[in-house]
Amino acid sequence: MPLENNMSDNYFDNTDSGEVTIFDLRDGESRAKRLIRAGRRHTDEGRFEEAARAFEQAVEISPKKAEYRVELAAAYRNLIESGIVSEPEMVEALLERAYSHLMEAVRLDPEYAPSYRLLGYVYEAMDAPWRAKEMWNFYLEMDPNGPYSSEVRSALEELDRVQNLHYMFEEASYLVNHGDPERALEILSEILEEEPDWYEAWFWRGLACREMEMISDAIESFARAVELDPESTYAYHELASLLARKGEVEAAEGFWHKALDLDPEEPWIMTSLALLLWRDERRDEAEKLFLRVLDIDPANRKVRNYLRNLRAGMSPPHLVET
């Protein structure tokens, strides 16, 4: 069955499939079994594209075999996990195709346990952990001592661990927003011990430190956040704001420009940068930015007041606003 969506119809046609196309058998089921064996051999050898092609052909020949559809769904997952397919649109297409085959497998044979194991992984990849957990528990109910039972139990444990970290993160972000940044910082530190490359945890750690006036720690946290996500407008903005408070004008300006490169029409970033330039006596540049803001948001009275005060020769606000 050819792939759909953003994949060409002949996605697997350039592979060397000689050993699974030379058979000229009248018995379709025999040919399907040969294709399944060939697909498994390709899988063992890491030739995942050839494996998917063989399983696709087997499903075409024997569409009522639940196990063949599960083999094909597993092949699609291997293509994603191996990185052979990495473009987001193509990954989404493969996940949708795997899901479709697995649901059809369940319709054909509701008691075939491997369908539920693979469905768990597909749901996990589709950001539906609650459904993944449900599918894996179904699998263990049906085949508690099967060849994949240990793997599935480990997957469930990892899922619980990750979900618990997310619950902790939600609590920490709530505490930052509701006046207890110290406790939030403790929770975020626990999270980062387990997941040191979690962008959101570093970003909220920065917010907690900022609320506690731990400026150096906050700068460190936001700097780590932009390392992990170089397209985070918010992290660049927070980092620039703190550097501006420390009087590091050049560094702050650079980070605000990076934020504007990512989001050129964002008024609050332009306003922050304009205030910095005003404090640095670069009034003409600040005025241009204020005018750009008012062009985008003519109802912004605060910026209109800034512009009036700037033109009147008044001093800028004491601190760049975050």
Side-chain angles (χ1 to χ4, degrees):
M1 188 178 293
L3 298 180
E4 297 178 342
N5 297 332
N6 291 294
M7 299 183 187
S8 63
D9 288 342
N10 60 347
Y11 184 75
F12 298 112
D13 285 357
N14 292 327
T15 61
D16 180 9
S17 58
E19 64 182 299
V20 295
T21 59
I22 62 174
F23 308 112
D24 186 16
L25 304 173
R26 294 182 178 179
D27 184 348
E29 180 55 30
S30 294
R31 183 165 185 262
K33 289 179 179 178
R34 289 178 181 267
L35 285 161
I36 291 296
R37 287 196 295 270
R40 290 171 179 169
R41 187 164 58 252
H42 290 320
T43 299
D44 291 341
E45 296 169 353
R47 297 162 62 187
F48 299 130
E49 290 177 299
E50 289 92 333
R53 187 175 189 276
F55 293 139
E56 283 181 334
Q57 291 175 347
V59 170
E60 287 178 356
I61 294 167
S62 298
K64 299 299 184 182
K65 289 281 189 178
E67 58 266 36
Y68 293 179
R69 292 183 180 271
V70 174
E71 296 270 16
L72 179 53
Y76 289 157
R77 179 170 176 259
N78 285 334
L79 286 170
I80 296 170
E81 293 294 312
S82 66
I84 293 172
V85 173
S86 58
E87 290 295 324
E89 296 84 359
M90 298 176 73
V91 169
E92 182 179 359
L94 275 185
L95 287 173
E96 289 176 356
R97 178 57 64 86
Y99 174 82
S100 177
H101 280 293
L102 290 168
M103 294 303 283
E104 183 60 25
V106 171
R107 292 188 188 97
L108 291 168
D109 186 354
E111 300 306 313
Y112 187 58
S115 301
Y116 299 94
R117 169 182 167 265
L118 261 296
L119 269 171
Y121 286 114
V122 170
Y123 275 124
E124 183 183 37
M126 296 170 73
D127 293 324
W130 59 95
R131 286 289 280 166
K133 189 172 186 177
E134 185 178 34
M135 294 302 108
W136 285 331
N137 282 322
F138 286 161
Y139 171 82
L140 291 175
E141 289 174 8
M142 299 170 70
D143 195 6
N145 300 309
Y148 293 104
S149 58
S150 178
E151 171 202 297
V152 170
R153 288 189 179 92
S154 294
L156 280 167
E157 289 175 4
E158 176 63 12
L159 190 63
D160 286 341
R161 186 188 73 84
V162 171
Q163 284 186 307
N164 183 58
L165 289 177
H166 279 277
Y167 295 146
M168 292 172 64
F169 175 76
E170 289 175 6
E171 180 184 1
S173 59
Y174 176 88
L175 290 169
V176 171
N177 287 328
H178 290 81
D180 194 354
E182 185 173 356
R183 175 58 185 149
L185 183 58
E186 293 174 0
I187 295 173
L188 290 164
S189 297
E190 290 182 42
I191 293 172
L192 288 168
E193 284 183 9
E194 288 198 43
E195 295 291 338
D197 294 332
W198 191 353
Y199 157 78
E200 287 85 357
W202 280 108
F203 181 85
W204 280 86
R205 184 181 188 276
L207 294 179
C209 290
R210 186 193 70 185
E211 292 301 305
M212 297 169 66
E213 293 296 322
M214 298 167 57
I215 303 304
S216 295
D217 288 331
I219 289 173
E220 177 187 345
S221 296
F222 290 127
R224 181 66 178 135
V226 298
E227 286 180 9
L228 294 168
D229 184 2
E231 296 187 359
S232 172
T233 301
Y234 295 103
Y236 281 124
H237 169 70
E238 294 292 345
L239 184 55
S241 298
L242 292 172
L243 290 168
R245 286 176 61 179
K246 290 185 66 177
E248 298 183 26
V249 174
E250 185 177 352
E253 182 180 355
F255 284 119
W256 266 319
H257 277 298
K258 285 185 178 180
L260 284 175
D261 287 342
L262 294 168
D263 196 347
E265 300 299 315
E266 185 51 67
W268 51 272
I269 297 175
M270 283 186 271
T271 300
S272 297
L273 178 56
L275 289 169
L276 178 74
L277 297 173
W278 185 3
R279 291 181 64 209
D280 200 39
E281 295 298 331
R282 293 153 66 182
R283 292 172 175 265
D284 290 344
E285 294 176 65
E287 181 174 352
K288 289 178 182 178
L289 281 172
F290 284 142
L291 289 171
R292 281 182 61 193
V293 172
L294 291 173
D295 187 54
I296 296 168
D297 181 14
N300 194 324
R301 290 187 59 81
K302 180 180 286 188
V303 170
R304 197 170 294 280
N305 289 334
Y306 286 153
L307 181 60
R308 182 176 61 251
N309 293 340
L310 172 69
R311 286 173 168 172
M314 298 175 63
S315 299
H318 179 60
L319 292 175
V320 175
E321 299 181 353
T322 60

